[in-house]
């Protein structure tokens, strides 16, 4: 970025999905070993257009339309990564990632350990996750916890276009496998200024989206927006929320969680994944271990229900929205 | 029965050079190999067989962990590896010790079976990918490695070993399908030893042959007598050549089905008497690759009793030395944390430190106490 310090940085207003595309473009330009592979990513530009135009720029050796086989996509990418390439795979929807689960957890995550570092797996698995887009069954899952539980993987979920490009660049340059989950609900929800030049946002660092003193609200991805909305609404009632967007779920920014909680002594965790076994439990356990004596109230979890994700007619009831998040925060603050 | 060493069109046309007794079949052509290399193959067959016997015995004495026996299958792995260049990659399941022996057995290989990742790390020095315990999970990796070699313009090919059971896994299908579509320089080498633990080959698939499955992927399939080292060598050599430098209209990948038999148990934790008869085992032992190779080499005047004794004695000494050296290895418990990620995450740093303190506080003896 140094070349742009004394002039105005070239930038464009991009949506989150455009920032994915821009991030891929930049990394493919700076490193010939980076390639994109998946279903319909070539001529079609991806079902969400996240790879639009890349095949014209980089050719079909680097933007590869694969047969319809998730395990084959990730499994062959593990071999490519071991050989020295940097494949970025696209799984069309997170609900279709399960055929590749074995390749991700049994192989990508373990290759470095298995070979004592002789082989590494600098692989990115991109997948749009989460609900709210009126999609068929299996298109709305939010199963980040599966991957956070697996040692050897990193898990990233951006919530803004700027972060998306920077975190994706970090994920691609990372020496270890990264699961990069994209909040498809907000793929086109808003625009943000994104520099044209490649840049990185470091993995493992949370971002405080709103500073506050009464309660810390920890969230990520598509839930960041309704959480911010809830925080603004509660401000009118005199409740001052701090909203922390974790951005990377593995490794989690424990220091940021602890720092915020020490300030507020109260916390709420918001995620759209089911409550039981969800990451809210991990965050709360971390707070208990590290800063129990700062705690002034039970920590609330505002999450999806412990049911299979419904078909779309009822999905808006399933997903936490501002009213439900406000209730959860109010309960914690008023304890 | 004898297809003269060419990649035949009919997958059920099993390639064979030696008959069960080790005589060259009429019309079959013997691969054009130097005498020393033929004897070297025999020496390695003996080393593999003796290694196998000692490893089983070490497991019985509690000196190594669970071990998968190789006896009966050595010929296929040794001969196929001879047909490759040293720079070519081998990806194997876990039973294919013969391939490692050709690349040069060292004490480090034994370390894997003693529970140390060091064994897998060492394999890379021999251009062997870490062995893979999950069945067929490595097949897509082999496709990906071969694909990467092609994309990078390297001349290397990849040979991937697996068993008959693997061919029922989804990853077999996906790996061969991708290999065909992207025309990658890979050889899929099925060591069809008739059983996946207890499950017989004919209950694994209704396909008359495994080689015939290649048709579904638009690649070549060939069946070979996997206990005939000369036939395996010839078939693999042609597959290697085609992977590296295909003629017009030729596909690079090949599925080789090497038909063979596992003489021993699936692993040291298995009792094969539950699922197969001794009679069947004895029948297959008639085709043992070692006496077949021995007969062939005696007829060529390359072996006699004296030479055979010396080869066997050398194998015994070599394996004894390997065991002694491997048993001196002391693992570093800190290795637990060393390779989860390139750089320690905050949690791993914390746990590494807690583990260090735990060992200091209690001593290893207390921590390693059973129950």
């Amino acid at each position: 970025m140094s070349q742009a310090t004394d002039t105005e940085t070239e930038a464009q207003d991009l949506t989150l999905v455009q920032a994915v595309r821009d991030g891929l473009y930049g990394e493919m330009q700076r490193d010939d070993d980076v390639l994109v592979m998946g279903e319909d990513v070539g001529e079609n530009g991806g079902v969400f257009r996240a790879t639009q135009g890349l095949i014209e720029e980089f050719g079909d050796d680097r933007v590869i339309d694969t047969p319809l086989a998730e395990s084959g996509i990730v499994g062959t990418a593990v071999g490519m990564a071991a050989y020295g390439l940097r494949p970025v795979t696209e799984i069309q929807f997170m609900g279709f990632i399960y055929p590749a689960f074995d390749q991700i957890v049994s192989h990508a995550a373990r290759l470095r350990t298995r070979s004592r570092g002789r082989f590494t797996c600098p692989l990115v698995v991109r997948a749009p996750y989460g609900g709210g887009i009126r999609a068929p069954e299996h298109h709305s899952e939010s199963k980040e916890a599966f991957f956070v539980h697996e040692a050897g993987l990193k898990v990233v979920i951006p919530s803004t276009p700027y972060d998306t490009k920077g975190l994706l660049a970090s994920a691609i340059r990372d020496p270890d496998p990264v699961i990069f989950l994209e909040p498809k609900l907000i793929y086109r929800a808003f625009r943000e200024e994104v520099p044209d030049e490649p840049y990185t946002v470091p993995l493992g660092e949370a971002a405080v989206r709103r500073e506050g003193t009464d309660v810390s609200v920890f969230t990520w991805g598509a839930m960041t927006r309704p959480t911010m909305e809830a925080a603004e609404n509660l401000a009118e009632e005199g409740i001052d929320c701090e909203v922390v967007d974790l951005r990377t779920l593995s490794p989690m920014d424990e220091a940021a969680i602890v720092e915020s909680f020490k300030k507020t002594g109260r916390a709420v965790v918001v995620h759209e994944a089911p409550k039981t076994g969800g990451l809210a439990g991990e965050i709360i356990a971390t707070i208990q271990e590290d800063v129990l004596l700062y705690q002034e109230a039970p920590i609330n979890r505002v999450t999806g229900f412990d049911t299979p994700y419904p078909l779309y007619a009822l999905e808006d009831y399933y997903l936490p929205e501002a009213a439900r998040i406000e209730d959860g925060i109010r309960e914690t603050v008023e304890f | 029965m004898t297809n003269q060493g060419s990649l035949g069109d009919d997958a059920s046309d099993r390639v064979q050079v030696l008959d069960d007794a080790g005589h060259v079949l009429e019309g079959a052509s013997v691969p054009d190999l130097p005498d020393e290399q033929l004897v070297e193959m025999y020496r390695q067959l003996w080393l593999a067989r003796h290694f196998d016997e000692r490893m089983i015995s070490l497991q019985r004495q509690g000196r190594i962990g669970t071990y998968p026996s190789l006896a009966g299958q050595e010929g296929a792995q040794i001969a196929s590896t001879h047909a490759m260049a040293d720079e070519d990659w081998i990806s194997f399941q876990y039973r294919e010790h013969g391939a490692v022996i050709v690349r040069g057995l060292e004490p480090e290989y034994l370390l894997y079976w003693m529970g140390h990742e060091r064994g897998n790390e060492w394999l890379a020095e021999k251009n062997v990918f870490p062995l893979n315990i999950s069945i067929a999970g490595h097949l897509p990796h082999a496709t990906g490695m071969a694909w990467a070699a092609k994309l990078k313009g390297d001349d290397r090919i990849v040979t991937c070993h697996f068993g008959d059971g693997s061919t029922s896994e989804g990853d077999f299908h996906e790996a061969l399908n991708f290999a065909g579509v992207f025309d990658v320089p890979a050889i899929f080498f099925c060591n069809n030893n008739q059983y996946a633990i207890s499950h017989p080959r004919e209950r694994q698939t209704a396909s008359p042959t495994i080689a015939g499955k290649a048709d579904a992927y638009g690649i070549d399939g060939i069946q070979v007598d996997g206990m005939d080292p000369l036939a395996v060598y010839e078939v693999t050599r042609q597959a290697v050549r085609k992977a590296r430098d295909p003629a017009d209209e030729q596909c690079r990948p090949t599925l080789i089905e090497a038909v063979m038999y596992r003489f021993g148990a699936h692993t040291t934790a298995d009792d094969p008497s539950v699922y197969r008869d001794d009679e069947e085992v004895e029948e297959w032992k008639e085709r043992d690759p070692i006496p077949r190779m021995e007969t062939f080499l005696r007829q060529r005047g390359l072996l006699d009793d004296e030479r055979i004794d010396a080869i066997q004695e050398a194998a015994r000494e070599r394996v004894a030395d390997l065991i002694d050296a491997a048993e001196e290895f002391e693992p570093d418990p800190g290795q637990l944390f060393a390779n989860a990620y390139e750089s320690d995450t905050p949690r791993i740093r914390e746990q590494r430190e807690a583990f260090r303190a735990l060992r200091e506080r209690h001593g290893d003896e207390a921590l390693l106490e059973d129950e």
Side-chain angles (χ1 to χ4, degrees):
Chain A
M1 296 309 297
S2 56
Q3 74 272 29
T5 47
D6 56 353
T7 57
E8 248 181 82
T9 308
E10 295 286 326
Q12 294 181 62
D13 283 337
L14 298 183
T15 62
L16 195 147
V17 71
Q18 286 171 331
V20 172
R21 192 248 171 230
D22 202 44
L24 291 171
Y25 181 87
E27 293 309 298
M28 292 181 80
Q29 267 207 325
R30 67 179 284 283
D31 183 353
D32 288 345
D33 284 336
V34 177
L35 58 85
V36 166
M37 60 195 287
E39 296 155 11
D40 310 298
V41 298
E43 200 178 336
N44 192 47
V47 293
F48 288 104
R49 307 291 173 256
T51 55
Q52 195 160 37
L54 295 180
I55 194 165
E56 284 81 8
E57 192 69 31
F58 300 105
D60 59 7
D61 274 353
R62 294 185 63 200
V63 182
I64 302 166
D65 273 321
T66 66
L68 207 166
E70 289 78 12
S71 185
I73 293 167
V74 176
T76 53
V78 168
M80 286 180 168
Y83 199 93
L85 296 175
R86 288 186 175 264
V88 182
T89 61
E90 177 177 303
I91 300 297
Q92 216 156 59
F93 289 86
M94 193 185 196
F96 303 147
I97 209 167
Y98 310 122
F101 194 71
D102 178 52
Q103 284 295 338
I104 294 171
V105 302
S106 302
H107 300 291
R110 304 184 60 96
L111 192 54
R112 180 185 290 279
T113 290
R114 183 180 291 160
S115 65
R116 295 219 312 184
R118 179 57 186 73
F119 290 100
T120 59
C121 196
L123 159 74
V124 176
V125 180
R126 290 181 41 240
Y129 88 97
I133 66 156
R134 304 280 178 272
E137 196 181 359
H138 306 304
H139 288 64
S140 303
E141 275 67 13
S142 179
K143 297 297 174 66
E144 62 274 16
F146 287 167
F147 299 102
V148 170
H149 190 58
E150 189 62 38
L153 298 177
K154 294 180 180 177
V155 181
V156 176
I157 302 187
S159 72
T160 69
Y162 180 89
D163 278 2
T164 295
K165 181 171 174 177
L167 287 167
L168 184 57
S170 293
I172 292 169
R173 297 179 201 181
D174 198 87
D176 288 302
V178 180
I179 309 297
F180 194 85
L181 301 174
E182 298 163 7
K184 63 179 178 293
L185 177 63
I186 56 170
Y187 257 162
R188 296 181 174 84
F190 62 100
R191 287 173 184 275
E192 188 180 33
E193 195 170 272
V194 174
D196 289 343
E197 287 298 311
Y199 61 93
T200 58
V201 171
L203 304 187
E205 287 185 17
V208 177
R209 299 295 180 198
R210 184 187 194 284
E211 289 202 25
T213 52
D214 293 336
V215 55
S216 303
V217 190
F218 301 108
T219 191
W220 53 88
M223 286 293 106
T224 308
R225 273 168 54 97
T227 300
M228 288 296 283
E229 189 188 334
E232 293 311 322
N233 292 343
L234 289 169
E236 290 169 17
E237 296 175 21
I239 297 174
D240 188 19
C241 298
E242 176 145 305
V243 178
V244 181
D245 173 4
L246 292 179
R247 301 197 291 191
T248 299
L249 299 177
S250 175
M252 210 177 264
D253 191 347
E254 197 171 324
I257 294 168
V258 164
E259 191 188 342
S260 180
F261 191 78
K262 279 165 78 173
K263 189 163 78 173
T264 63
R266 295 170 196 267
V268 174
V269 186
V270 183
H271 61 60
E272 61 182 282
K275 184 176 195 171
T276 303
L279 288 178
E282 180 60 36
I283 293 164
I284 294 166
T286 299
I287 292 171
Q288 307 279 315
E289 276 182 347
D290 293 357
V291 279
L292 175 71
L293 295 181
Y294 289 82
Q295 189 169 338
E296 291 171 20
I299 300 172
N300 250 342
R301 290 184 272 182
V302 181
T303 68
F305 300 120
D306 284 353
T307 63
Y309 195 89
L311 290 183
Y312 74 82
L314 297 182
E315 74 175 331
D316 287 346
Y317 289 108
Y318 179 93
L319 291 170
E321 76 327 302
R324 197 152 126 199
I325 298 168
E326 285 165 36
D327 282 356
I329 296 173
R330 225 179 264 117
E331 198 178 276
T332 296
V333 171
E334 289 169 2
F335 177 79
Chain B
M1 191 70 178
T2 54
N3 175 317
Q4 298 185 10
S6 67
L7 295 176
D9 294 329
D10 183 355
S12 65
D13 203 6
R14 189 180 303 175
V15 178
Q16 206 174 344
V17 172
L18 296 175
D19 70 10
D20 291 356
H23 304 293
V24 176
L25 284 159
E26 210 180 309
S29 55
V30 173
D32 184 22
L33 283 169
D35 290 347
E36 312 82 75
Q37 196 173 352
L38 289 166
V39 174
E40 178 66 5
M41 280 165 75
Y42 177 79
R43 200 186 60 77
Q44 289 165 341
L45 284 167
W46 258 114
L47 183 59
R49 184 65 57 89
H50 184 64
F51 172 78
D52 205 57
E53 287 166 5
R54 286 299 313 272
M55 290 296 270
I56 292 166
S57 148
L58 289 183
Q59 192 279 335
R60 299 286 181 246
Q61 299 163 45
R63 289 158 71 186
I64 67 166
T66 305
Y67 169 80
S69 170
L70 165 70
Q73 307 185 204
E74 306 93 333
Q77 293 142 33
I78 288 169
S80 62
T81 307
H82 270 270
M84 299 168 68
D86 288 345
E87 298 74 39
D88 292 335
W89 280 97
I90 293 172
S91 172
F92 76 113
Q93 193 80 69
Y94 45 70
R95 195 187 303 284
E96 296 86 343
H97 321 300
V100 180
I101 282 173
V102 176
R103 289 287 168 91
L105 196 56
E106 289 171 29
E108 281 85 350
Y109 185 62
L110 280 71
L111 293 178
Y112 182 84
W113 304 103
M114 295 174 172
H116 307 297
E117 303 287 7
R118 172 70 187 123
N120 263 336
E121 181 189 14
W122 168 82
L123 280 174
E125 289 172 26
K126 304 292 176 183
N127 295 324
V128 179
F129 203 54
L131 63 86
N132 185 64
I133 298 298
S134 78
I135 299 303
H138 62 308
L139 270 68
H141 308 162
T143 299
M145 290 181 84
W147 192 357
K150 185 182 172 188
L151 288 171
K152 280 178 169 275
D154 293 350
D155 198 26
R156 290 169 140 184
I157 66 133
V158 181
T159 293
C160 182
H161 287 272
F162 52 92
D164 39 311
S166 281
T167 66
S168 298
E169 291 277 6
D171 274 340
F172 169 84
H173 164 66
E174 298 191 24
L176 271 71
N177 191 44
F178 275 57
V181 169
F182 297 103
D183 195 31
V184 308
I187 296 170
F188 297 95
F189 196 102
C190 179
N191 296 275
N192 170 12
N193 67 9
Q194 313 305 324
Y195 288 91
I197 305 188
S198 68
H199 202 67
R201 148 67 187 88
E202 61 271 18
R203 301 298 300 156
Q204 203 64 248
T205 172
S207 277
T209 69
I210 286 169
K213 288 174 180 259
D215 281 351
Y217 308 109
I219 66 174
D220 294 322
I222 180 97
Q223 200 185 54
V224 60
D225 180 345
M227 297 164 87
D228 173 351
L230 300 182
V232 170
Y233 176 87
E234 186 54 26
V235 164
T236 312
R237 188 185 66 80
Q238 294 193 39
V240 168
R241 193 173 58 192
K242 180 167 67 83
R244 229 188 279 288
D245 188 20
D248 287 347
E249 307 289 310
Q250 266 189 333
C251 63
R252 289 176 190 269
T254 305
L255 170 62
I256 296 174
E257 176 190 2
V259 180
M260 60 182 78
Y261 199 79
R262 148 165 67 76
F263 293 163
H266 162 65
T267 67
T268 44
D270 173 44
D271 172 12
S273 71
V274 175
Y275 54 83
R276 64 184 200 188
D277 298 331
D278 284 349
E279 214 171 281
E280 180 184 294
V281 181
E282 290 311 313
E283 218 169 278
W284 279 92
K285 281 189 172 171
E286 296 294 312
R287 296 174 220 175
D288 189 336
I290 295 183
R292 280 167 90 179
M293 220 24 206
E294 191 176 305
T295 301
F296 168 76
L297 293 171
R298 278 184 191 268
Q299 282 180 341
R300 287 221 152 180
L302 297 173
L303 276 185
D304 54 26
D305 288 349
E306 200 181 327
R307 197 126 191 236
I308 291 168
D309 284 348
I311 285 170
Q312 293 182 359
E313 185 50 35
R316 276 190 285 273
E317 274 177 31
R318 178 86 189 286
V319 174
D321 290 347
L322 290 167
I323 294 167
D324 287 347
E327 287 189 326
E328 277 177 25
F329 182 79
E330 288 286 340
D332 167 13
Q335 273 288 327
L336 266 177
F337 303 95
N339 291 297
Y341 299 91
E342 186 180 78
S343 318
D344 287 356
T345 61
R347 278 261 163 107
I348 288 181
R349 210 174 301 130
E350 196 182 293
Q351 290 168 14
R352 187 198 277 275
E353 176 52 28
F355 177 66
R356 193 198 57 74
L358 183 77
R359 289 179 68 207
E360 207 171 86
R361 206 157 53 242
H362 296 284
D364 283 344
E365 215 169 296
L367 296 179
L368 297 175
E369 212 170 86
D370 285 340
E371 297 305 305

